Amino acid sequence: MAAQFNIGDIVWAKLSSFPPWPSKIVRPKKDIKKPKGKKPVYFVFFYGTEDHAWVKAENLKPFEEYKDQMIKANKGKRFHQAVEAVEAVLRKGGGAKRGRPPKHSASPKSGPYRDTDDIDHEEVVPSSKPVQKTYSREPLLGKTVSPSTSIGLKRPPESLGAEASIILKRPREDNESDLYNFDESEHETESDIVTSKDDITPTCLKIGFLGLGIMGSGMVRNLIKTGHSVMVWNRTPMKCRDLVQAGASVGGTVNEVVAACDITFGCVADPNAVRDLVFGTSGVLQSIRPGKAYVEMSTIDVETVQDVAESIESRGGRFLEAPVIGTRKPAEDGMLVIVAGGDRSLFDDCESCFLAMGKKAFYLGEIGSGTRMKLVANMVLGSVMAGYAEGMSLAERAGLDLQTVLDVFKEGPLNCAAVRSKGDAILHSRFEPSFPLKHQQKDMRLALALGDELKQSLPVAAAANEMFKRAISLGNGDNDMSSVYRATAL
């Protein structure tokens, strides 16, 4: 059972992707809404960052009881400055060490936050020095920062007080350890911390979406859920049925969708499919004119992206590349990472769509930058997956119990979503496609071609690519990428 805390208690608060941080339980303002969910939460102030956030009770620990353990685990300068700030407050009697009511609170309410009208925000005086924003850690809404900016989920002004920023601005310390004794929820995501998708205000523009595969169907469903007006098309019309029931309309052809919509998104399998979609009979290009915009979300090569961009722009349309990082589950949950390049005004116009489909969208600059970023990311993912598969195969050959191997991985620095999910798939030989192996091999091939073009040696990625090719030859192309394990277990 999670510990009970009072207003004013000094604690260690743990958010996803951050180490435990010296914090204080404070009262939220009346207009700051408690996040949805059944788990008890507290509103906390983070020393040294001037930030606030809702934190689950299970991710809070008493300050004094865990102080030595936390200080030993974290050597970062900003961390120790925050600890010193807490110690100064405690010396002055400005906080409770072990859950005792603070002296300045006449009648504190114990336990987690409840929706009551008589709770006022406890005043926390911010530092006199302005907080330096780190844009790789804080989502932005339509602000321009050169050369790259990002959009992330963020509460609108009417539901979030000026004092309370939900995403920490503090950059991660280079030497901060990821190994802490906090039980972090397996299902905690950035959206748990940031906001509900219900807070998104949909654009008034009509949205088109072409391609309803593993990724596209989940992305469209999130657009519909957040109130966007969406028209869809898919090569196999049957895949449109569920989305029509959810609220989408259907276009008979690709160019019919483009003609009817202000912004059209495309998400298909590979460069050839993109070229057919854009340049083919009744394709995207047929209906492009001034006022129309096209966003390519497929993972393809830079040359194809540039060809599509030039053709769209030559007809007066706007173009943005916006490939996504993530697989089936993040697409269904609206937690993809979007990496974009091209027309900046179109990136801004897509804000509500990106918030619906993803947890963060980065604007990287010129056309081709988003594709390069996606290829680098998937090349690293494929190389890691190949090494992981080899390690599991070696462990099995050495007589180790694979469940124990996974348990060890989950308790150490290898603990991440990929290790957990792909490891379980290997252990139980369940390779239903979250990200088909043939698509991963395609991305490896495209990344290697980019390396050849730039004269960059990529020996590890090249070796991993051979493993994926062998797995395809063994009949695993349509299985999940984790089935590359079958290329090693021979």
Side-chain angles (χ1 to χ4, degrees):
M1 182 177 177
Q4 294 284 309
F5 297 96
N6 296 322
I7 299 296
D9 282 354
I10 305 298
V11 297
W12 297 98
K14 176 78 172 73
L15 289 181
S16 178
S17 302
F18 292 96
W21 200 258
S23 310
K24 184 178 183 178
I25 307 293
V26 298
R27 295 185 181 94
K29 275 190 173 181
K30 293 179 181 179
D31 59 348
I32 297 179
K33 300 176 183 178
K34 183 175 75 71
K36 295 179 180 179
K38 297 181 179 179
K39 292 188 176 181
V41 294
Y42 292 85
F43 196 65
V44 304
F45 168 78
F46 292 86
Y47 284 91
T49 69
E50 315 302 325
D51 289 293
H52 301 69
W54 290 103
V55 180
K56 294 176 183 176
E58 64 195 47
N59 289 336
L60 296 173
K61 300 291 183 183
F63 180 79
E64 284 293 329
E65 183 178 347
Y66 287 84
K67 182 173 72 172
D68 292 340
Q69 174 186 335
M70 299 304 174
I71 291 176
K72 183 178 180 181
N74 196 322
K75 306 300 181 184
K77 181 179 178 180
R78 284 181 289 271
F79 173 88
H80 284 276
Q81 289 174 342
V83 172
E84 290 171 6
V86 170
E87 296 288 4
V89 170
L90 292 174
R91 285 194 296 271
K92 295 177 181 179
K97 294 183 180 181
R98 293 179 176 271
R100 298 190 301 273
K103 295 179 181 178
H104 59 274
S105 179
S107 58
K109 297 183 183 289
S110 299
Y113 173 82
R114 301 288 184 240
D115 288 320
T116 55
D117 293 331
D118 59 342
I119 294 180
D120 295 321
H121 184 269
E122 177 176 280
E123 182 179 359
V124 181
V125 180
S127 168
S128 59
K129 296 181 179 180
V131 177
Q132 297 297 316
K133 295 183 179 181
T134 301
Y135 291 99
S136 62
R137 301 296 296 158
E138 183 186 29
L140 300 173
L141 292 177
K143 298 179 182 178
T144 302
V145 178
S146 180
S148 65
T149 59
S150 62
I151 290 174
L153 293 171
K154 188 174 182 180
R155 286 192 185 279
E158 62 269 20
S159 64
L160 183 62
E163 299 93 333
S165 127
I166 296 299
I167 291 292
L168 293 179
K169 303 181 185 75
R170 177 182 60 82
R172 194 178 185 86
E173 295 279 1
D174 292 338
N175 55 355
E176 286 174 2
S177 171
D178 281 319
L179 304 178
Y180 296 91
N181 295 325
F182 276 65
D183 293 325
E184 201 166 357
S185 170
E186 184 76 359
H187 302 291
E188 181 175 341
T189 64
E190 191 167 336
S191 62
D192 292 326
I193 301 165
V194 185
T195 184
S196 164
K197 296 285 187 182
D198 294 338
D199 292 329
I200 296 171
T201 301
T203 178
C204 60
L205 300 175
K206 176 77 173 180
I207 303 301
F209 205 100
L210 312 173
L212 303 176
I214 288 176
M215 303 296 288
S217 56
M219 294 155 74
V220 169
R221 196 169 292 277
N222 282 306
L223 288 171
I224 297 170
K225 285 179 180 178
T226 50
H228 292 83
S229 175
V230 186
M231 177 180 284
V232 298
W233 174 90
N234 193 72
R235 185 178 56 184
T236 306
M238 187 177 297
K239 289 188 177 182
C240 299
R241 291 180 181 177
D242 289 344
L243 295 173
V244 169
Q245 292 179 355
S249 58
V250 180
T253 61
V254 169
N255 66 321
E256 181 181 327
V257 173
V258 177
C261 298
D262 300 296
I263 301 174
T264 302
F265 293 84
C267 185
V268 292
D270 55 36
N272 288 335
V274 168
R275 289 183 179 276
D276 287 344
L277 192 70
V278 175
F279 302 115
T281 304
S282 300
V284 170
L285 207 56
Q286 300 299 314
S287 293
I288 291 293
R289 60 181 185 274
K292 297 295 183 180
Y294 182 65
V295 182
E296 184 53 72
M297 306 192 82
S298 312
T299 302
I300 52 179
D301 59 287
V302 176
E303 181 181 0
T304 299
V305 167
Q306 291 173 337
D307 287 347
V308 171
E310 290 174 5
S311 299
I312 298 293
E313 292 171 350
S314 70
R315 296 200 174 202
R318 294 184 296 162
F319 177 80
L320 187 75
E321 56 168 345
V324 299
I325 296 173
T327 55
R328 180 199 294 268
K329 191 64 165 62
E332 292 173 346
D333 294 343
M335 294 300 290
L336 296 167
V337 176
I338 300 164
V339 286
D343 191 301
R344 177 56 203 245
S345 68
L346 180 51
F347 177 80
D348 293 338
D349 287 345
C350 290
E351 180 183 311
S352 68
C353 297
F354 289 159
L355 290 174
M357 294 186 285
K359 63 178 179 180
K360 201 157 189 177
F362 292 86
Y363 179 77
L364 302 180
E366 65 181 10
I367 290 170
S369 56
T371 293
R372 294 184 184 98
M373 180 69 252
K374 175 61 190 291
L375 292 179
V376 169
N378 274 24
M379 183 194 77
V380 172
L381 174 63
S383 299
V384 169
M385 188 68 245
Y388 186 20
E390 278 194 334
M392 293 290 281
S393 184
L394 176 62
E396 186 174 35
R397 185 66 62 91
L400 297 174
D401 176 68
L402 291 189
Q403 181 61 67
T404 302
V405 173
L406 286 180
D407 291 342
V408 171
F409 285 170
K410 292 175 182 178
E411 295 300 323
L414 292 176
N415 185 24
C416 65
V419 166
R420 293 190 295 269
S421 63
K422 303 307 182 186
D424 288 338
I426 290 172
L427 181 64
H428 301 291
S429 295
R430 291 199 298 260
F431 299 116
E432 296 82 5
S434 175
F435 183 46
L437 186 145
K438 63 184 180 184
H439 291 166
Q440 178 61 54
Q441 192 277 321
K442 176 262 296 183
D443 294 348
M444 298 295 287
R445 173 174 55 81
L446 295 177
L448 290 169
L450 179 62
D452 288 342
E453 178 187 338
L454 300 175
K455 305 296 189 292
Q456 171 67 47
S457 176
L458 301 171
V460 174
N465 184 48
E466 292 304 314
M467 286 181 60
F468 283 102
K469 287 164 62 177
R470 175 164 178 75
I472 290 174
S473 72
L474 294 172
N476 294 286
D478 292 324
N479 291 333
D480 186 70
M481 63 176 292
S482 55
S483 63
V484 69
Y485 171 74
R486 290 176 170 171
T488 69
L490 298 175

